[in-house]
Amino acid sequence: MKINLKNGIDKLLFGMKQKDVTAIYGKPDRNYKDEDDNVILVYNALKMRLTFYKEEDFKLGYIVASSPELQLFGNKVLYRNINDVKKELAAKGITKFTQEEFDTFENYFNEDNWIILQTEFDEVVKFEIGAIINDKDEFDWKFGKK
């Protein structure tokens, strides 16, 4: 599955509604609301958790993925050493990461592309990507744009 920076993953585009996603991937394995009343869809086979923001008319705004099939710039991301992944990203101009540690996990956050590489024991175990917020402090929805 291809990661499309600033846009989404695979056929998912930020700004889609639940009906758009279920038309592509079918019924989710789980469907629940978080503490902010955002709708969360979980697809076990895809190893993805999708968040639809209540305050944005339930548009897809955030994806958490842990599929070993995830690829960025043609390279697999997960279950690889973080330093190797960061070298590949640096070759594509992605070099600024804010690092945060908790327990045995570390998050590497790149704000320009709104991505997080989560590691444990120096290995990437989870990838997160969120919709970009533009200069007007609004979400830059990709779905439905020409």
Side-chain angles (χ1 to χ4, degrees):
M1 286 190 303
K2 184 178 174 193
I3 297 165
N4 302 302
L5 291 179
K6 302 182 181 181
N7 292 282
I9 294 177
D10 195 40
K11 297 173 184 153
L12 297 171
L13 286 174
F14 291 122
M16 285 180 156
K17 299 286 193 111
Q18 293 172 65
K19 65 178 175 53
D20 303 311
V21 173
T22 56
I24 297 168
Y25 293 115
K27 187 178 174 223
D29 296 284
R30 283 184 66 199
N31 180 341
Y32 63 95
K33 289 187 177 181
D34 68 10
E35 64 277 357
D36 297 319
D37 281 334
N38 299 316
V39 170
I40 311 293
L41 301 186
V42 176
Y43 286 91
N44 292 341
L46 299 171
K47 295 185 185 286
M48 284 201 283
R49 182 178 78 214
L50 314 177
T51 302
F52 297 82
Y53 293 137
K54 177 185 178 186
E55 292 188 2
E56 294 293 330
D57 197 26
F58 293 103
K59 290 181 180 175
L60 174 62
Y62 204 79
I63 304 169
V64 177
S66 59
S67 169
E69 302 307 312
L70 282 177
Q71 291 191 14
L72 183 56
F73 302 120
N75 299 309
K76 292 207 175 185
V77 176
L78 291 170
Y79 310 108
R80 296 183 51 222
N81 184 283
I82 184 62
N83 293 320
D84 295 338
V85 174
K86 283 174 66 181
K87 276 183 205 160
E88 291 168 358
L89 294 177
K92 300 292 184 181
I94 300 172
T95 56
K96 291 193 314 195
F97 287 93
T98 304
Q99 189 173 339
E100 179 183 49
E101 297 179 22
F102 52 101
D103 294 329
T104 58
F105 294 95
E106 291 180 278
N107 281 351
Y108 295 84
F109 173 61
N110 173 266
E111 188 173 5
D112 293 341
N113 295 288
W114 213 265
I115 59 172
I116 295 174
L117 298 164
Q118 186 177 87
T119 66
E120 186 174 36
F121 310 115
D122 283 338
E123 183 178 87
V124 180
V125 294
K126 195 183 290 179
F127 181 84
E128 302 183 23
I129 184 169
I132 298 293
I133 295 173
N134 64 26
D135 296 339
K136 298 176 193 157
D137 209 26
E138 300 170 337
F139 283 101
D140 184 11
W141 301 120
K142 301 302 182 180
F143 185 68
K145 282 191 171 180
K146 296 288 181 225

